[in-house]
Amino acid sequence: MVEYSLDLTFAALADPTRRAMLDALRGGERSIGDLAAPHAMTFAGAAKHIGVLERAGLIERRKAGRQQLCRLKADRFTEAEAWLAEWRRFWNARLDTLEALLQEDQA
Amino acid sequence: MVEYSLDLTFAALADPTRRAMLDALRGGERSIGDLAAPHAMTFAGAAKHIGVLERAGLIERRKAGRQQLCRLKADRFTEAEAWLAEWRRFWNARLDTLEALLQEDQA
DNA sequence: CGAATATTCAACCATAAGGTTTCATTACCC
DNA sequence: GGGTAATGAAACCTTATGGTTGAATATTCG
């Protein structure tokens, strides 16, 4: 269900460590170790964050020798963006209404 | 800081009850009781969700007699949408690159 | 004033989240 | 094969979250 995956997506995005990891993945595939390194926490802790991102469907991984390479997946980003884009349309519509009212006032 | 408010915003959006409340507010101001009613939980439980939305800056409230009226606030929506819109641009750019590669192949 | 309405607050409970440590597994290199 | 690098996984701790109940506080109405 869409609602359910929005839960996971937004929850995954609500953490700065995880957002930083996503940003790091914009440069292409990265191993768990690469993703973990910049963060002031244990490897295991960072790996948990990666697990959250994977369960939320924001990334996927594949084995490459003794390491695992992670890469971004688009779907859930798109879904979340679509949800928020609807809000942008809502706010725009409200602004339009306000403008119309102001114009009426001036007339 | 921006990071901090993105944390709160995404965390607030990660719950279906809260997203439903936000949707309800699209119709205009609603009291806490109005927002709570549709949800299968105690009034106090629902009020906590409203507290989360308020602390995240997604809504604000004002007293009106013995009730409190809530209404939507745009800023944090905009912020979150901007963050995700950047990702949309990222994915689009990747698609463009892929297309270019395919074209090259054909040429 | 007294009763009912709308909401807040505090205490509590169960579960999940973010982190740690420790140990096991797997794959590479010599 | 043995050592080591990269990861997985389990157990544990602390704090946050989502929910409950019950009492307290305003505010309106009669």
Side-chain angles (χ1 to χ4, degrees):
Chain A
M1 194 195 267
V2 171
E3 290 302 301
Y4 177 62
S5 72
L6 272 182
D7 286 7
L8 288 179
T9 302
F10 282 135
L13 294 180
D15 183 288
T17 299
R18 290 193 288 263
R19 288 198 303 276
M21 287 175 165
L22 292 173
D23 280 334
L25 286 173
R26 294 171 82 142
E29 285 187 328
R30 293 285 183 274
S31 72
I32 312 263
D34 288 345
L35 290 174
H39 303 285
M41 70 181 65
T42 58
F43 182 93
K48 272 196 181 180
H49 281 296
I50 294 173
V52 172
L53 291 171
E54 191 185 21
R55 274 187 293 283
L58 292 165
I59 66 173
E60 62 190 350
R61 45 178 137 177
R62 66 184 180 87
K63 296 186 67 169
R66 69 182 140 183
Q67 50 186 11
Q68 300 239 357
L69 295 184
C70 305
R71 73 175 149 228
L72 297 165
K73 271 183 72 180
D75 298 14
R76 299 298 157 79
F77 282 92
T78 307
E79 199 170 283
E81 215 264 336
W83 191 87
L84 274 169
E86 204 173 308
W87 280 96
R88 185 189 41 194
R89 285 192 287 279
F90 170 75
W91 293 114
N92 286 343
R94 298 244 301 209
L95 276 183
D96 289 352
T97 306
L98 181 59
E99 245 176 58
L101 288 177
L102 289 177
Q103 299 254 341
E104 247 175 59
D105 263 12
Q106 281 189 339
Chain B
M1 196 195 266
V2 171
E3 291 301 301
Y4 178 62
S5 71
L6 271 182
D7 285 6
L8 288 179
T9 302
F10 283 134
L13 294 180
D15 183 288
T17 300
R18 291 193 288 263
R19 288 198 303 276
M21 287 174 165
L22 292 174
D23 279 334
L25 286 172
R26 295 171 81 144
E29 283 186 330
R30 294 285 184 273
S31 72
I32 311 262
D34 288 344
L35 289 174
H39 302 286
M41 68 179 68
T42 58
F43 183 94
K48 272 196 182 182
H49 281 294
I50 294 172
V52 171
L53 290 171
E54 191 185 22
R55 273 187 294 283
L58 292 164
I59 67 172
E60 60 190 351
R61 44 178 137 178
R62 65 186 181 86
K63 295 187 66 169
R66 69 182 137 180
Q67 49 186 12
Q68 300 241 354
L69 296 183
C70 305
R71 75 176 147 225
L72 296 165
K73 272 182 71 179
D75 298 14
R76 299 299 157 82
F77 282 93
T78 307
E79 198 169 281
E81 216 265 335
W83 191 87
L84 274 168
E86 205 173 309
W87 280 95
R88 185 188 42 193
R89 285 191 288 279
F90 170 74
W91 294 114
N92 287 344
R94 297 244 302 208
L95 277 183
D96 289 351
T97 305
L98 182 59
E99 245 176 58
L101 288 176
L102 290 176
Q103 300 253 340
E104 247 175 59
D105 264 11
Q106 280 190 337

mmCIF file of all heavy atoms in Angstrom, chain B residues 39-63:
data_model
loop_
_atom_site.group_PDB
_atom_site.id
_atom_site.type_symbol
_atom_site.label_atom_id
_atom_site.label_comp_id
_atom_site.label_asym_id
_atom_site.label_seq_id
_atom_site.Cartn_x
_atom_site.Cartn_y
_atom_site.Cartn_z
ATOM 1 N N HIS B 39 -10.230 9.360 14.113
ATOM 2 C CA HIS B 39 -9.192 8.376 14.386
ATOM 3 C C HIS B 39 -9.536 7.503 15.584
ATOM 4 O O HIS B 39 -10.015 7.993 16.603
ATOM 5 C CB HIS B 39 -7.854 9.079 14.579
ATOM 6 C CG HIS B 39 -7.456 9.894 13.379
ATOM 7 N ND1 HIS B 39 -7.000 9.328 12.219
ATOM 8 C CD2 HIS B 39 -7.520 11.229 13.145
ATOM 9 C CE1 HIS B 39 -6.781 10.279 11.327
ATOM 10 N NE2 HIS B 39 -7.085 11.447 11.866
ATOM 11 N N ALA B 40 -9.268 6.219 15.419
ATOM 12 C CA ALA B 40 -9.625 5.239 16.444
ATOM 13 C C ALA B 40 -8.620 5.278 17.581
ATOM 14 O O ALA B 40 -7.855 4.346 17.785
ATOM 15 C CB ALA B 40 -9.678 3.843 15.817
ATOM 16 N N MET B 41 -8.642 6.370 18.306
ATOM 17 C CA MET B 41 -7.760 6.480 19.473
ATOM 18 C C MET B 41 -8.355 7.525 20.408
ATOM 19 O O MET B 41 -9.313 8.212 20.060
ATOM 20 C CB MET B 41 -6.339 6.864 19.054
ATOM 21 C CG MET B 41 -6.202 8.268 18.508
ATOM 22 S SD MET B 41 -4.500 8.667 18.051
ATOM 23 C CE MET B 41 -4.249 7.592 16.651
ATOM 24 N N THR B 42 -7.797 7.620 21.590
ATOM 25 C CA THR B 42 -8.329 8.573 22.554
ATOM 26 C C THR B 42 -8.031 9.999 22.098
ATOM 27 O O THR B 42 -7.134 10.243 21.294
ATOM 28 C CB THR B 42 -7.680 8.367 23.929
ATOM 29 O OG1 THR B 42 -6.272 8.500 23.792
ATOM 30 C CG2 THR B 42 -8.011 7.004 24.481
ATOM 31 N N PHE B 43 -8.810 10.920 22.641
ATOM 32 C CA PHE B 43 -8.601 12.331 22.344
ATOM 33 C C PHE B 43 -7.165 12.735 22.670
ATOM 34 O O PHE B 43 -6.490 13.378 21.865
ATOM 35 C CB PHE B 43 -9.579 13.149 23.186
ATOM 36 C CG PHE B 43 -9.518 14.617 22.931
ATOM 37 C CD1 PHE B 43 -10.373 15.214 22.027
ATOM 38 C CD2 PHE B 43 -8.596 15.402 23.590
ATOM 39 C CE1 PHE B 43 -10.326 16.570 21.787
ATOM 40 C CE2 PHE B 43 -8.528 16.759 23.350
ATOM 41 C CZ PHE B 43 -9.388 17.348 22.454
ATOM 42 N N ALA B 44 -6.708 12.318 23.837
ATOM 43 C CA ALA B 44 -5.358 12.703 24.263
ATOM 44 C C ALA B 44 -4.306 12.163 23.299
ATOM 45 O O ALA B 44 -3.325 12.863 23.002
ATOM 46 C CB ALA B 44 -5.097 12.206 25.681
ATOM 47 N N GLY B 45 -4.514 10.951 22.816
ATOM 48 C CA GLY B 45 -3.584 10.368 21.863
ATOM 49 C C GLY B 45 -3.515 11.196 20.591
ATOM 50 O O GLY B 45 -2.429 11.530 20.103
ATOM 51 N N ALA B 46 -4.686 11.558 20.072
ATOM 52 C CA ALA B 46 -4.730 12.361 18.855
ATOM 53 C C ALA B 46 -4.096 13.735 19.099
ATOM 54 O O ALA B 46 -3.383 14.257 18.246
ATOM 55 C CB ALA B 46 -6.169 12.511 18.386
ATOM 56 N N ALA B 47 -4.352 14.294 20.281
ATOM 57 C CA ALA B 47 -3.791 15.610 20.603
ATOM 58 C C ALA B 47 -2.261 15.557 20.581
ATOM 59 O O ALA B 47 -1.599 16.522 20.203
ATOM 60 C CB ALA B 47 -4.296 16.068 21.960
ATOM 61 N N LYS B 48 -1.704 14.427 20.976
ATOM 62 C CA LYS B 48 -0.248 14.286 20.924
ATOM 63 C C LYS B 48 0.243 14.382 19.492
ATOM 64 O O LYS B 48 1.257 15.025 19.216
ATOM 65 C CB LYS B 48 0.175 12.939 21.518
ATOM 66 C CG LYS B 48 0.399 12.954 23.005
ATOM 67 C CD LYS B 48 1.177 11.700 23.373
ATOM 68 C CE LYS B 48 1.407 11.591 24.855
ATOM 69 N NZ LYS B 48 2.198 10.380 25.185
ATOM 70 N N HIS B 49 -0.480 13.736 18.579
ATOM 71 C CA HIS B 49 -0.090 13.815 17.164
ATOM 72 C C HIS B 49 -0.107 15.263 16.701
ATOM 73 O O HIS B 49 0.779 15.714 15.976
ATOM 74 C CB HIS B 49 -1.031 12.978 16.309
ATOM 75 C CG HIS B 49 -0.736 11.511 16.347
ATOM 76 N ND1 HIS B 49 0.423 10.985 15.840
ATOM 77 C CD2 HIS B 49 -1.435 10.459 16.837
ATOM 78 C CE1 HIS B 49 0.426 9.663 16.010
ATOM 79 N NE2 HIS B 49 -0.695 9.320 16.616
ATOM 80 N N ILE B 50 -1.127 15.988 17.133
ATOM 81 C CA ILE B 50 -1.210 17.396 16.743
ATOM 82 C C ILE B 50 -0.026 18.165 17.308
ATOM 83 O O ILE B 50 0.525 19.047 16.651
ATOM 84 C CB ILE B 50 -2.562 17.979 17.206
ATOM 85 C CG1 ILE B 50 -3.685 17.291 16.427
ATOM 86 C CG2 ILE B 50 -2.599 19.482 17.010
ATOM 87 C CD1 ILE B 50 -5.078 17.625 16.894
ATOM 88 N N GLY B 51 0.385 17.782 18.522
ATOM 89 C CA GLY B 51 1.570 18.402 19.108
ATOM 90 C C GLY B 51 2.804 18.173 18.251
ATOM 91 O O GLY B 51 3.623 19.078 18.061
ATOM 92 N N VAL B 52 2.923 16.961 17.722
ATOM 93 C CA VAL B 52 4.070 16.638 16.861
ATOM 94 C C VAL B 52 4.046 17.513 15.610
ATOM 95 O O VAL B 52 5.073 18.081 15.211
ATOM 96 C CB VAL B 52 4.056 15.144 16.465
ATOM 97 C CG1 VAL B 52 5.112 14.857 15.410
ATOM 98 C CG2 VAL B 52 4.275 14.271 17.693
ATOM 99 N N LEU B 53 2.865 17.640 15.017
ATOM 100 C CA LEU B 53 2.742 18.459 13.806
ATOM 101 C C LEU B 53 3.101 19.915 14.106
ATOM 102 O O LEU B 53 3.733 20.584 13.293
ATOM 103 C CB LEU B 53 1.313 18.377 13.256
ATOM 104 C CG LEU B 53 0.917 17.027 12.652
ATOM 105 C CD1 LEU B 53 -0.569 16.975 12.345
ATOM 106 C CD2 LEU B 53 1.737 16.743 11.401
ATOM 107 N N GLU B 54 2.699 20.374 15.278
ATOM 108 C CA GLU B 54 2.981 21.762 15.620
ATOM 109 C C GLU B 54 4.465 21.985 15.872
ATOM 110 O O GLU B 54 5.051 22.950 15.371
ATOM 111 C CB GLU B 54 2.172 22.178 16.851
ATOM 112 C CG GLU B 54 2.217 23.676 17.076
ATOM 113 C CD GLU B 54 1.533 24.094 18.366
ATOM 114 O OE1 GLU B 54 1.392 23.241 19.265
ATOM 115 O OE2 GLU B 54 1.132 25.272 18.473
ATOM 116 N N ARG B 55 5.078 21.076 16.633
ATOM 117 C CA ARG B 55 6.513 21.226 16.901
ATOM 118 C C ARG B 55 7.321 21.136 15.616
ATOM 119 O O ARG B 55 8.383 21.743 15.495
ATOM 120 C CB ARG B 55 6.979 20.164 17.906
ATOM 121 C CG ARG B 55 6.795 20.608 19.362
ATOM 122 C CD ARG B 55 7.429 19.614 20.335
ATOM 123 N NE ARG B 55 6.757 18.318 20.310
ATOM 124 C CZ ARG B 55 5.586 18.061 20.898
ATOM 125 N NH1 ARG B 55 4.953 19.026 21.546
ATOM 126 N NH2 ARG B 55 5.046 16.865 20.830
ATOM 127 N N ALA B 56 6.817 20.377 14.639
ATOM 128 C CA ALA B 56 7.514 20.288 13.347
ATOM 129 C C ALA B 56 7.273 21.534 12.509
ATOM 130 O O ALA B 56 7.883 21.707 11.460
ATOM 131 C CB ALA B 56 7.056 19.047 12.595
ATOM 132 N N GLY B 57 6.363 22.393 12.973
ATOM 133 C CA GLY B 57 6.091 23.619 12.233
ATOM 134 C C GLY B 57 5.178 23.432 11.032
ATOM 135 O O GLY B 57 5.087 24.309 10.175
ATOM 136 N N LEU B 58 4.490 22.303 10.986
ATOM 137 C CA LEU B 58 3.597 22.059 9.849
ATOM 138 C C LEU B 58 2.236 22.699 10.046
ATOM 139 O O LEU B 58 1.506 22.938 9.087
ATOM 140 C CB LEU B 58 3.439 20.549 9.623
ATOM 141 C CG LEU B 58 4.701 19.846 9.133
ATOM 142 C CD1 LEU B 58 4.584 18.334 9.296
ATOM 143 C CD2 LEU B 58 4.968 20.194 7.677
ATOM 144 N N ILE B 59 1.887 22.951 11.299
ATOM 145 C CA ILE B 59 0.624 23.622 11.600
ATOM 146 C C ILE B 59 0.850 24.648 12.709
ATOM 147 O O ILE B 59 1.895 24.652 13.368
ATOM 148 C CB ILE B 59 -0.472 22.630 12.066
ATOM 149 C CG1 ILE B 59 -0.095 22.027 13.426
ATOM 150 C CG2 ILE B 59 -0.688 21.531 11.052
ATOM 151 C CD1 ILE B 59 -1.208 21.194 14.032
ATOM 152 N N GLU B 60 -0.125 25.506 12.890
ATOM 153 C CA GLU B 60 -0.107 26.409 14.043
ATOM 154 C C GLU B 60 -1.522 26.451 14.592
ATOM 155 O O GLU B 60 -2.474 26.053 13.934
ATOM 156 C CB GLU B 60 0.361 27.814 13.629
ATOM 157 C CG GLU B 60 -0.519 28.473 12.594
ATOM 158 C CD GLU B 60 0.132 29.756 12.051
ATOM 159 O OE1 GLU B 60 1.151 30.185 12.593
ATOM 160 O OE2 GLU B 60 -0.411 30.302 11.061
ATOM 161 N N ARG B 61 -1.654 26.936 15.822
ATOM 162 C CA ARG B 61 -3.004 26.964 16.388
ATOM 163 C C ARG B 61 -3.276 28.280 17.090
ATOM 164 O O ARG B 61 -2.371 29.006 17.487
ATOM 165 C CB ARG B 61 -3.243 25.816 17.343
ATOM 166 C CG ARG B 61 -2.141 25.531 18.309
ATOM 167 C CD ARG B 61 -2.568 24.386 19.210
ATOM 168 N NE ARG B 61 -1.507 23.425 19.413
ATOM 169 C CZ ARG B 61 -1.641 22.358 20.196
ATOM 170 N NH1 ARG B 61 -2.769 22.123 20.834
ATOM 171 N NH2 ARG B 61 -0.637 21.524 20.357
ATOM 172 N N ARG B 62 -4.561 28.562 17.250
ATOM 173 C CA ARG B 62 -4.966 29.770 17.951
ATOM 174 C C ARG B 62 -6.177 29.417 18.794
ATOM 175 O O ARG B 62 -6.956 28.524 18.462
ATOM 176 C CB ARG B 62 -5.306 30.882 16.952
ATOM 177 C CG ARG B 62 -6.505 30.585 16.090
ATOM 178 C CD ARG B 62 -6.705 31.648 15.014
ATOM 179 N NE ARG B 62 -7.890 31.330 14.210
ATOM 180 C CZ ARG B 62 -9.134 31.693 14.545
ATOM 181 N NH1 ARG B 62 -9.355 32.378 15.660
ATOM 182 N NH2 ARG B 62 -10.155 31.361 13.771
ATOM 183 N N LYS B 63 -6.301 30.122 19.890
ATOM 184 C CA LYS B 63 -7.440 29.868 20.756
ATOM 185 C C LYS B 63 -8.674 30.542 20.176
ATOM 186 O O LYS B 63 -8.609 31.648 19.637
ATOM 187 C CB LYS B 63 -7.182 30.426 22.156
ATOM 188 C CG LYS B 63 -6.049 29.718 22.862
ATOM 189 C CD LYS B 63 -5.928 30.174 24.312
ATOM 190 C CE LYS B 63 -7.150 29.743 25.129
ATOM 191 N NZ LYS B 63 -6.933 29.955 26.586
#
